[in-house]
Amino acid sequence: MKKVAVVTGAGAGIGKKIALQLAGEGYRVYANARSEKKLEDTLAAGKGYDIIPLIFDVRDLDAIEESFSHIDTIDCLVNNAGVSIRNKGIYDINEDDWDMILDTNAKGYFFVARAALKKMKRGGCIINMSSGAAKTGGDFVSIPYSTSKGAINSLTVCLARELASEGIRVNAVSPGFIDTDMLTLNGQPKDFYSKVIPLGRLGETEDIANMVTFLASEKAGFVTGQIIEVNGGDIMG
């Protein structure tokens, strides 16, 4: 019987790569985005794989519950949906900026996880997408974004503690600078990263998908409550 994974924010970038890699590993993948149009590239790239669109906005709690009600069982949830804005100073951030980012990147993770847990049995796992900005405050990202990722780290540990007795593992992957569209918000040319990252290159979406696939596997069966940095050495220790 196929394992089942749900990947939020699967329309592009890291989420798209994770969805495709898990599908390639034999999972039935429910790929989430806010619209079917946002999933067109993922579905085209995954032709021949078992990928099913799952349309909802992670800020819409009713839509989350309704969407998960159509799934019988879930082995792995990847909470990946996220938004950011170009960095603003303290006095330029408005309430809409704050609410959009925290509602998507933090509150949405909790309510998606809770809906998924109703369909998850012993041996299941949740993998949250964090960021090195949670530790550093972010070199180029906004205060609400860094704050939301710090919340994800805390949420990961809280869920891991509460769910350990049920045999459900919860971890987070913390990407460094990864070559996605969101990177353009930093305003730096790509060759900048080869100079500042110790391993001498910008991260690829596959680097993150590889870690997610490992954490979802039985090889990570004794790993829970961890925030795992995947950043080419940009943050150490």
Side-chain angles (χ1 to χ4, degrees):
M1 187 174 179
K2 279 189 175 184
K3 287 189 173 183
V4 175
V6 174
V7 181
T8 67
I14 290 171
K16 174 184 174 182
K17 180 62 73 172
I18 291 169
L20 292 172
Q21 191 168 122
L22 288 176
E25 293 286 322
Y27 281 79
R28 168 171 288 175
V29 175
Y30 287 88
N32 158 260
R34 287 176 290 172
S35 68
E36 291 212 24
K37 183 172 180 59
K38 289 183 177 293
L39 286 172
E40 285 178 351
D41 289 347
T42 302
L43 295 173
K47 191 174 182 180
Y49 288 151
D50 192 354
I51 302 178
I52 300 170
L54 191 65
I55 308 304
F56 63 85
D57 187 326
V58 300
R59 296 174 296 179
D60 186 336
L61 307 192
D62 290 335
I64 291 169
E65 291 291 334
E66 198 279 332
S67 296
F68 277 87
S69 71
H70 299 288
I71 304 174
D72 293 329
T73 186
I74 298 171
D75 297 285
C76 176
L77 166 67
V78 182
N79 258 328
N80 169 76
V83 294
S84 185
I85 56 173
R86 191 172 296 279
N87 197 7
K88 293 182 177 182
I90 291 172
Y91 301 106
D92 296 318
I93 296 167
N94 60 46
E95 187 175 10
D96 288 342
D97 295 332
W98 190 266
D99 289 347
M100 176 186 70
I101 293 171
L102 270 292
D103 284 354
T104 303
N105 297 7
K107 186 173 80 172
Y109 276 42
F110 172 76
F111 285 101
V112 169
R114 191 171 71 174
L117 285 167
K118 296 174 184 177
K119 305 299 179 77
M120 191 175 289
K121 298 177 181 178
R122 180 172 289 273
C125 68
I126 297 171
I127 302 164
N128 294 323
M129 200 58 56
S130 181
S131 168
K135 290 184 176 181
T136 66
D139 294 318
F140 309 106
V141 297
S142 66
I143 291 173
Y145 180 83
S146 297
T147 301
S148 73
K149 295 302 183 176
I152 289 168
N153 288 359
S154 181
L155 175 64
T156 297
V157 175
C158 290
L159 290 177
R161 286 194 179 279
E162 184 157 341
L163 297 172
S165 63
E166 300 178 28
I168 294 173
R169 299 179 296 108
V170 186
N171 294 289
V173 176
S174 180
F177 295 116
I178 307 299
D179 190 3
T180 67
D181 289 343
M182 192 176 286
L183 192 73
T184 61
L185 294 175
N186 294 345
Q188 298 291 335
K190 287 187 179 181
D191 61 2
F192 164 82
Y193 300 99
S194 63
K195 300 171 185 176
V196 300
I197 296 173
L199 285 183
R201 69 171 175 87
L202 189 60
E204 301 292 339
T205 56
E206 187 174 8
D207 295 315
I208 308 305
N210 287 341
M211 180 56 70
V212 168
T213 300
F214 165 71
L215 289 173
S217 74
E218 294 179 1
K219 293 180 180 180
F222 201 53
V223 180
T224 196
Q226 303 304 308
I227 317 297
I228 300 175
E229 301 286 346
V230 183
N231 57 34
D234 186 51
I235 300 171
M236 297 188 184

